[in-house]
Amino acid sequence: MANSKYEYTRHFETVDKVLPNTWMVVRIDGRGFHRFSQEHEFAKPNDRRAIDLMNRCAVEVMMDIKDITIGYGQSDEYSFVLPKSCNLYSRRASKISSTIVSLFAANYTMRWNEYFPTVKLKYPPCFDSRVVCYPSDQNLRDYLSWRQVDCHINNLYNTTFWAIVHSGKTETAAEEELRGTFSKDKHEILFSKHNINYNTIEEIYKKGSVIIRQKTKVTSISPNTGEPVERIKLVPTPLHVDIIGQPFWGEHPQLLK
Ligand code: DGT
Ligand code: MG
Ligand code: MG
């Protein structure tokens, strides 16, 4: 490109490189999803279609951006982990974060009908995004644990809250009943008053979704022979498991490399 007298404005771009040799986490979060979930008639407390759509978008992001090793999602948020050695966009925070969030939002819009065939998308969904760097493996694990604990606490509260409301009480009465209660109290309210054993609720709601690249048998048609060929590929796969304890990290040691 020819130089022009205007080119000097390029130097106003500030450097926003993430510290080298640290874990990078991009977290995206739905903007105003309290309203978005109401306008689009999400089931309460959890809408399986909405969760499946979020997971699909995250899988698509990970298929496109191969540097991402782990995704973790719950509610209207997703975190994407990039390893210490990652040099995507020379570690420029705004390039990384804006690419991931726009890819996610574009997929959310494009695939909406697949997951909500009977609900018209009323307005464009929007997500914010940030990059946070974590220096140690323990920091990264603690970050992911924080998000999973958040999922658990919110899900237990929301499950109990909506059980009370669905039993005929007002939202204010439900709030009142839950004020000051501990986890064990909510389990008890669910079990004794609403006949719900929290432990039997599906893991996807209690644990959120962690996406890692799993070895998967993939069948494709050979362009040469026209015959199906089987290959083992690493495919981003959502799991609904505990990521706080050691077993998950022991089973997948490559995730902390
Ligand atoms: P923000 O992030 O500051 O722009 O504000 P919001 O409104 O997105 O709030 P946030 O992110 O703290 O909370 C997520 C909201 O999304 C919360 O109001 C519950 C709603 N939501 C997420 N997933 C579901 C779902 O499966 N069902 C229902 N009914 N609501 C959901
Ligand atoms: Mg939000
Ligand atoms: Mg949120």
Side-chain angles (χ1 to χ4, degrees), residues 5-7 16-17 29 74 118 157 162 173 215 221 254:
K5 68 172 183 175
Y6 309 114
E7 201 197 328
D16 66 345
K17 280 194 183 189
D29 184 284
Q74 54 119 349
T118 59
Y157 183 91
W162 288 109
K215 282 187 184 148
I221 303 295
Q254 78 283 4

Side-chain angles (χ1 to χ4, degrees), residues 29-33 76:
D29 184 284
R31 172 170 166 254
F33 260 48
D76 67 339

Side-chain angles (χ1 to χ4, degrees), residues 20-40:
N21 199 34
T22 54
W23 295 100
M24 294 187 279
V25 176
V26 175
R27 181 168 79 251
I28 61 128
D29 184 284
R31 172 170 166 254
F33 260 48
H34 181 69
R35 173 178 165 225
F36 186 88
S37 61
Q38 286 179 338
E39 294 269 355
H40 295 90

Side-chain angles (χ1 to χ4, degrees), residues 24-25 31 39 54 62 93 111 122 132 143 149 156 158 160 193 201 211 218 220-221 252 256:
M24 294 187 279
V25 176
R31 172 170 166 254
E39 294 269 355
M54 289 290 287
M62 287 176 69
R111 300 181 194 284
K122 290 189 183 169
V132 183
Y143 167 77
V149 167
L156 179 58
N158 292 338
T160 319
K193 297 190 183 164
I201 285 174
I211 306 182
V218 181
S220 57
I221 303 295
H252 307 286
L256 288 178

